[in-house]
Amino acid sequence: MKNIKQLNIELKNHLEETAEQLVKDLVQIIDDKKVDDIEDRTKAEIRAFYFEYQYDYLDITAWATDKSGNSITNPVLLPTQRKQGIGEEDKWSALLPEKIWKEASDFQEKYEDEDDFDDFWDEYNEEKYKLFEDWFCECWKKASGQTGYRKDAYFSIHDTYFKTDLNTLQTINDDEIAERYTS
């Protein structure tokens, strides 16, 4: 079961290779060059950026909101350019490389009836999401440092109550975020 740990090493390498593109995309979002307004709004109306990722494939979606919490831009899938891994099918478009996805699925299928499977699987996933979230936060830190961005920004799994405040790297919930804009 130790070969599952190798997948996180491969993921870390993939994320490192993708970091430059994500930072570039984040800078363009912050500078209002990568977002399409839903209505005729100005950059000054942006109150916060939201970045949510899909649990299974690690795809990141970004959009901006106004002071009422209404989305004022169309969602953007990040990173905008993705490197296709060796042997990946043309239709594979997830941020998580297909090879890692397939090997993790095969591992789960092969060992899920073993007594210690749950411990290995939980440890694997915990490390995977920590690697991913740390990577995103580091890319955000670089992008916001390059642009001097100081407005609110939040990062989370898609449709969750808790988010990471990208300015403080502290956990915040939807109610606390709403309070910021009504006070």
Side-chain angles (χ1 to χ4, degrees):
M1 283 200 211
K2 291 185 179 177
N3 64 346
I4 192 81
K5 292 188 181 269
Q6 180 62 34
L7 296 180
N8 281 335
I9 293 169
E10 292 175 29
L11 175 61
K12 183 177 181 179
N13 292 337
H14 173 72
L15 294 173
E16 287 172 359
E17 292 171 5
T18 311
E20 185 178 331
Q21 180 63 49
L22 181 62
V23 170
K24 178 181 170 187
D25 289 338
L26 292 172
V27 166
Q28 290 183 336
I29 285 173
I30 292 168
D31 287 342
D32 206 24
K33 295 176 183 164
K34 222 14 144 203
V35 291
D36 294 323
D37 293 341
I38 290 176
E39 296 180 17
D40 222 7
R41 309 255 178 151
T42 66
K43 185 177 177 180
E45 290 180 77
I46 294 174
R47 179 66 175 164
F49 283 110
Y50 283 80
F51 302 92
E52 290 187 348
Y53 68 93
Q54 293 294 325
Y55 185 79
D56 292 335
Y57 300 109
L58 305 180
D59 289 331
I60 304 165
T61 305
W63 70 93
T65 61
D66 63 14
K67 65 181 179 182
S68 300
N70 298 317
S71 184
I72 59 173
T73 63
N74 289 311
V76 176
L77 187 61
L78 300 175
T80 56
Q81 295 180 10
R82 297 173 186 222
K83 178 182 156 196
Q84 190 166 358
I86 298 170
E88 287 186 351
E89 296 180 23
D90 289 339
K91 64 184 179 192
W92 188 264
S93 63
L95 177 58
L96 181 69
E98 184 179 24
K99 176 184 182 287
I100 294 173
W101 170 259
K102 283 183 176 181
E103 287 184 26
S105 295
D106 291 347
F107 177 87
Q108 184 177 20
E109 193 174 294
K110 183 176 180 179
Y111 293 108
E112 66 188 338
D113 293 330
E114 302 272 330
D115 289 339
D116 55 354
F117 170 78
D118 288 339
D119 292 337
F120 270 98
W121 192 246
D122 289 346
E123 186 179 321
Y124 162 71
N125 279 312
E126 200 172 298
E127 181 181 358
K128 175 175 78 174
Y129 293 112
K130 179 162 180 25
L131 281 169
F132 176 72
E133 291 170 1
D134 289 351
W135 167 78
F136 182 87
C137 290
E138 187 60 33
C139 289
W140 174 260
K141 189 173 156 184
K142 288 178 184 175
S144 61
Q146 288 178 24
T147 61
Y149 182 79
R150 297 292 174 253
K151 293 183 183 177
D152 294 335
Y154 307 103
F155 178 67
S156 67
I157 296 172
H158 176 66
D159 279 345
T160 58
Y161 181 67
F162 294 100
K163 299 175 179 5
T164 298
D165 180 328
L166 290 170
N167 290 319
T168 65
L169 299 181
Q170 299 297 310
T171 301
I172 188 168
N173 65 49
D174 288 339
D175 293 333
E176 293 168 322
I177 293 169
E179 276 181 37
R180 288 181 172 182
Y181 307 123
T182 57
S183 311

